[in-house]
Amino acid sequence: SEGRQILAALHSGLGNLQKAAGRYEEAKGHFQEAFRIREMLTKDFPEAGYELELAESCRDLSDVSYEKWKRTEQRSHFSQIAREQVPQALEEITASRVWREKRVAILEKAAGERATAASRQELARAYHDMERFCEAESAVEESAMNRAWIGEHFSVGGLLSAEQNDIWRKKQNE
């Protein structure tokens, strides 16, 4: 799994470089490959917690679609070709929204199965990106409560005892 995880990270990095260079189709291809690999990792190793990385791939795909649309919109102010670009721009806006929704669904599932402060924080960001502000605020509050509770109950070595771990799991299921 480590090799596939590295490969996905490489594709994600290449996608970011391509996006920065304005090469959106190439970026999209790398982001899609990173998503495909991370989706397989999530299915093959459900307990490993690859959901946050999978959600990151959704965010990358959403962002590249949005950036491509934004670039088309900027050109439309200077060009009569804008009308021809409207269907493509709408397609990119829709794709961006679909990837954001998929990200939220992945993070909601991850937060339900393994509610960590990090997963709740990432879920809060995803809610905020979707302009679901009440849900974002709630996820931030839960993240803060998780962090505070864990901070109070960690041992000096940084590990929870079996008893503390059981208490924490029961608290998460309440």
Side-chain angles (χ1 to χ4, degrees):
S1 75
E2 186 177 343
R4 288 193 282 172
Q5 189 176 7
I6 291 169
L7 183 60
L10 289 171
H11 276 290
S12 184
L14 286 170
N16 283 318
L17 290 172
Q18 296 287 7
K19 185 176 84 171
R23 298 171 71 180
Y24 301 113
E25 286 305 313
E26 293 91 339
K28 193 174 186 178
H30 285 294
F31 290 143
Q32 286 172 333
E33 186 61 19
F35 176 83
R36 187 188 67 75
I37 294 167
R38 288 172 172 162
E39 187 174 43
M40 287 189 323
L41 283 169
T42 302
K43 288 178 183 172
D44 293 347
F45 305 98
E47 298 301 316
Y50 288 116
E51 293 89 356
L52 294 180
E53 292 173 2
L54 183 62
E56 177 186 323
S57 289
C58 291
R59 187 196 66 225
D60 290 339
L61 284 159
S62 171
D63 289 351
V64 77
S65 292
Y66 177 77
E67 288 293 322
K68 189 175 178 185
W69 166 75
K70 192 166 82 173
R71 184 171 167 219
T72 301
E73 183 188 44
Q74 288 170 348
R75 283 189 305 201
S76 72
H77 294 292
F78 307 108
S79 171
Q80 294 296 327
I81 305 172
R83 290 181 189 191
E84 295 170 12
Q85 295 172 340
V86 168
Q88 179 187 3
L90 288 174
E91 183 180 314
E92 296 302 334
I93 293 168
T94 302
S96 177
R97 178 78 181 189
V98 167
W99 284 111
R100 286 177 191 215
E101 289 171 357
K102 190 168 194 140
R103 177 180 175 218
V104 166
I106 290 167
L107 291 169
E108 284 176 337
K109 183 178 179 202
E113 292 173 354
R114 284 183 295 283
T116 64
S119 68
R120 294 310 256 160
Q121 245 179 336
E122 194 60 31
L123 181 59
R125 285 187 195 108
Y127 282 145
H128 185 271
D129 289 348
M130 295 289 295
E131 298 180 0
R132 292 166 60 177
F133 301 118
C134 292
E135 290 163 295
E137 185 177 343
S138 175
V140 166
E141 289 172 1
E142 289 176 26
S143 170
M145 288 187 301
N146 283 357
R147 286 185 191 274
W149 192 91
I150 290 170
E152 291 171 9
H153 294 85
F154 265 89
S155 66
V156 176
L159 300 174
L160 291 172
S161 69
E163 181 181 332
Q164 290 170 323
N165 192 32
D166 289 341
I167 293 168
W168 184 78
R169 291 258 182 243
K170 285 178 187 172
K171 180 178 176 3
Q172 296 304 307
N173 293 325
E174 290 177 354

